[in-house]
Amino acid sequence: MTPHRRSLRHPLAATTALLLIGLGTLPASAQPAPPPTSSQDPMQRYQELGAQAAKADEDLLTAQDQLTARQADRDKANADVTKTNDELGKAQAAIAQFRPQVDTIALSALGGGQLNNTAMLLDSGNRQEFLDRASALSVLADQKTVVLGGLREAVNQAENAKTAAANAQKTAQLAADDAATALDEVRKRQADLKGQIAEVRKALGELPSSDRRKLGTVQDSGSYLGPPGAANDALQAALSKRGSEYEWGATGPNQFDCSGLTSWAYKQAGITIPRSSRQQFTAGKAVPLNQLVPGDLLFYDDGTGNAGAIHHVAMYVGDGKMVDAPTEGQLVDVRPQRGDGHLMGARRIVG
């Protein structure tokens, strides 16, 4: 079977701006394969290159996830800037509202408008007039207290809002810078993955035609059952896709990469799990490799036992086998769970 050419999907619009180093919107893929060697065996080289491309794909996914997070940070920071600027505007409007009243009070004081009680008594014609004028002055004094207190509060609010707005602006700029850095990282990861995919396709094309035909044919059509419930539902969903072609970044329903298959299968069972194999390694609960049940997820790394180096995920079907989407040139099928020998852990999503 000749290599099936596919175009690499751009995970996030190039116009979207932002993210920190990492990986993110392209699903994790590629079959478990041994770490790079200088092997001249065509099939082994093809498998090694598939594993390297899978790692590049995971790195891209991580970067894209971080980009999404940085974009969210940036958007929140920009929203905070808008909010604090609105608060500053309201505080400044309150100051403007109190200004005329304060100016009137000041002019009255400077112009002798405020008289002490003795002056009022001397200037009044009788006691009743004095009481009336004293009462009016008391009201004016109360109004002055309210006005000056309101102005003082408005000024304080304006100062606080001004400081908050300045801080929000700085945060927004940092978030935008982080997003821009993340976007650059995504683009670098995309270019790296594109180059890795080209190598896989080249190696696939160099395989003997008999090997390519075998890779493109379902080898195991047996029946497998899991425990009743969601795990078995997910298992049957994955098994139903045997014969589907591998596609970088595909999540079904007709083409898949490795984590695209497992996430799609569990979605059919009504359960949402993360998109990439590295993220899926955080889902559910860890399960010993000697206690596997059908429906458990199997994870493969580079042989170091490092979760950050996971590049492939498959679903256990029982009898020491798994169903997975390996890499370009191969179909979804049931295979031995040993993979490349770098099975580093398993997770149980339900049960």
Side-chain angles (χ1 to χ4, degrees):
M1 174 175 105
T2 56
H4 183 72
R5 299 280 177 171
R6 305 180 184 84
S7 59
L8 176 61
R9 298 184 312 168
H10 193 296
L12 292 174
T15 54
T16 320
L18 344 164
L19 173 29
L20 237 207
I21 286 183
L23 322 157
T25 266
L26 248 229
S29 54
Q31 77 181 54
T37 71
S38 57
S39 170
Q40 297 304 307
D41 176 77
M43 180 60 74
Q44 186 174 353
R45 175 168 174 74
Y46 161 67
Q47 292 176 332
E48 291 171 354
L49 290 171
Q52 292 178 50
K55 182 181 182 302
D57 192 14
E58 277 294 326
D59 290 343
L60 173 59
L61 283 175
T62 299
Q64 290 170 336
D65 286 345
Q66 292 181 349
L67 172 57
T68 299
R70 294 302 171 271
Q71 289 173 331
D73 290 343
R74 177 208 57 190
D75 293 343
K76 180 181 183 303
N78 286 337
D80 288 343
V81 169
T82 299
K83 179 181 178 181
T84 53
N85 282 335
D86 287 345
E87 292 173 348
L88 176 58
K90 291 178 182 178
Q92 291 173 332
I95 292 175
Q97 180 181 358
F98 283 112
R99 284 293 185 194
Q101 301 174 62
V102 173
D103 290 344
T104 299
I105 292 174
L107 289 173
S108 175
L110 292 174
Q114 293 182 355
L115 302 176
N116 59 37
N117 289 346
T118 301
M120 283 194 300
L121 179 60
L122 294 174
D123 189 51
S124 62
N126 56 55
R127 185 172 182 276
Q128 185 59 48
E129 182 181 354
F130 167 75
L131 293 175
D132 291 341
R133 294 181 63 178
S135 177
L137 186 60
S138 176
V139 170
L140 289 176
D142 290 342
Q143 290 177 340
K144 181 181 73 171
T145 300
V146 171
V147 170
L148 294 180
L151 176 62
R152 185 179 299 106
E153 181 179 356
V155 169
N156 289 337
Q157 290 178 344
E159 288 299 321
N160 292 337
K162 185 176 180 180
T163 299
N167 291 337
Q169 188 62 56
K170 291 179 181 178
T171 300
Q173 185 59 56
L174 290 174
D177 292 344
D178 284 348
T181 299
L183 181 59
D184 288 342
E185 182 67 17
V186 166
R187 288 171 174 165
K188 284 165 50 179
R189 299 293 187 182
Q190 286 174 329
D192 182 45
L193 177 58
K194 186 175 181 179
Q196 296 280 6
I197 291 174
E199 290 295 321
V200 172
R201 290 173 176 168
K202 180 180 178 182
L204 179 62
E206 293 173 350
L207 292 176
S209 58
S210 59
D211 285 345
R212 294 201 301 272
R213 282 195 299 271
K214 185 175 181 180
L215 290 175
T217 303
V218 172
Q219 302 295 311
D220 187 329
S221 56
S223 297
Y224 300 89
L225 291 175
N232 186 59
D233 292 343
L235 174 63
Q236 299 310 315
L239 290 171
S240 74
K241 289 304 175 178
R242 280 179 286 192
S244 297
E245 291 188 333
Y246 182 91
E247 172 66 41
W248 302 96
T251 58
N254 300 314
Q255 296 176 324
F256 301 89
D257 68 4
C258 69
S259 57
L261 175 65
T262 51
S263 59
W264 178 87
Y266 265 102
K267 185 176 181 180
Q268 308 318 300
I271 296 177
T272 299
I273 61 175
R275 176 63 188 84
S276 73
S277 59
R278 290 176 190 169
Q279 290 177 325
Q280 288 178 16
F281 190 65
T282 67
K285 64 179 181 180
V287 57
L289 295 179
N290 62 355
Q291 297 179 25
L292 295 174
V293 298
D296 289 345
L297 299 184
L298 308 177
F299 297 87
Y300 299 80
D301 68 349
D302 59 358
T304 64
N306 177 13
I310 289 174
H311 64 265
H312 186 67
V313 60
M315 186 181 293
Y316 184 66
V317 303
D319 298 331
K321 298 179 181 179
M322 65 184 182
V323 58
D324 70 342
T327 192
E328 183 161 335
Q330 298 185 53
L331 306 177
V332 173
D333 201 358
V334 172
R335 300 174 172 82
Q337 76 173 59
R338 65 177 179 274
D340 64 351
H342 294 154
L343 173 59
M344 57 83 68
R347 307 288 293 188
R348 185 162 298 160
I349 304 303
V350 294

